Amino acid sequence: MRVTEQAQFNRAVSTIKRNYNELESSQTRLSTGQRVQAPHQNVTSTVNSIYYRTRMSSVNRFQENIVDGQERLNVAHDSMSSITQALARARDLAVQAANSTYNASDRAVMAMEVEEMLERVVDISKTQSKGEYIFSGTSVKTEPFRAFYSHDEKAGRSIIKSVSYEGDANAQNREVENGQYLDVATPGNYTFWSTNMEIISTKDSSNYTVANNQDIMIDDMIINIKQGDNIETIVQRINDANGNVKASIGELQGGAKVIELKTSTPHKILLQDLAGGTVLQDIGLIREGSANIPENNYEPSALVTGKSVFESLIYLRDAMLNDDVASIGYDALGYIDSAIDNVTSVQANASSKVSRLDMGYNAFEDQKLAISEALAKNENIDYAEEIVNFNLWQYAHNASLQTTGKMLGRTLLDFLR
């Protein structure tokens, strides 16, 4: 191969440029601390960085959801402790009032203290977290319960006569991992209930068939009812939904078939015909014209049993006002005990969810540490190693400049001396 001065010049300049580029790249890495300055420099490293940062963003979002769920559940848990305290005091009063050593006047005084416990529970039902009612289901801007007062002769004052639930039973799901959701709702139709509930229609549905496809909602379950379904099929569809309400068929005198709904866990059943449907109206469970109003819409002729926490306290208070010792010691005390058991059960469920969220949050903290370390290894330079690398390229650059200066600096006169 023929070596000319031009070839030497081109090679020298190429070497100087390469050394200078490497020196500049090393200097950039030292000044930024980043291993890669542009995606094309290391595609694998870039892809890994995108994955780590995306995962970190997801973890942060999941932790925010967890914290929100923890706050809501903790507020509900503390509120239920207060409910239990009020019920425990009412129970103590019931035990006292059932004792024959007390007279009617004593029981009337006790009744007013039960009224105070009742009002205390109504106040607790309106507990909020971040400006949202925690016992309203997803109707977070609606007060979950409304108390109705009227004057009572025996009490000599206005007292609570009834309390209605105006929330819903829908879930409040929080995503706590990719595709994993946890319901952090504590709807009032579960929390403030004492006994299992039963609704029995009095309307004969022996020959009933559904005219067209419709949807019904029972609590938070949407159930598809098909054209041509009869009462037996409707019952089967409700039971196949595997909710906390079971259906069956009862028979009245004369062989009339009616539908019966019963809860498997104490709560108030919420019923709704969806999108203009009439199935629940047709079979006598909700009153005509109330298809889209799930609160307090039962058909007046239907037989409804079951008591809320409020109704249990009202029953106890009224039994005291009426000096009904038998009702106090048997029915009222049983209702209060059931209320305490149910509230405690709901509270335990909330507590278990908080524990699960705590573990999830701590697991994410460990993940964030691991992701941060992996991201640092993937993106950040080793400064000691890079300084050595910079010095080497600086030395090589200076050497190439000196060598080129000496080699290309000669002229024809240098050879004529």
Side-chain angles (χ1 to χ4, degrees), residues 364-400:
F364 282 134
E365 285 294 298
D366 294 338
Q367 280 194 40
K368 286 170 68 174
L369 180 60
I371 293 171
S372 296
E373 291 177 352
L375 192 60
K377 289 180 180 178
N378 186 66
E379 292 185 349
N380 299 342
I381 64 172
D382 182 332
Y383 273 95
E385 179 183 351
E386 193 59 47
I387 289 172
V388 171
N389 189 49
F390 176 81
N391 290 333
L392 287 175
W393 284 115
Q394 186 178 43
Y395 179 82
H397 181 59
N398 291 335
S400 63

Side-chain angles (χ1 to χ4, degrees), residues 316-336:
L316 172 60
R317 180 204 63 199
D318 290 348
M320 290 177 172
L321 287 173
N322 294 325
D323 198 28
D324 188 347
V325 178
S327 294
I328 294 170
Y330 183 71
D331 292 333
L333 194 57
Y335 294 147
I336 297 298

Side-chain angles (χ1 to χ4, degrees), residues 297-324:
N297 62 347
Y298 302 142
E299 165 59 41
S301 64
L303 304 176
V304 181
T305 62
K307 290 190 179 298
S308 66
V309 169
F310 307 104
E311 291 167 333
S312 298
L313 290 169
I314 289 171
Y315 186 93
L316 172 60
R317 180 204 63 199
D318 290 348
M320 290 177 172
L321 287 173
N322 294 325
D323 198 28
D324 188 347

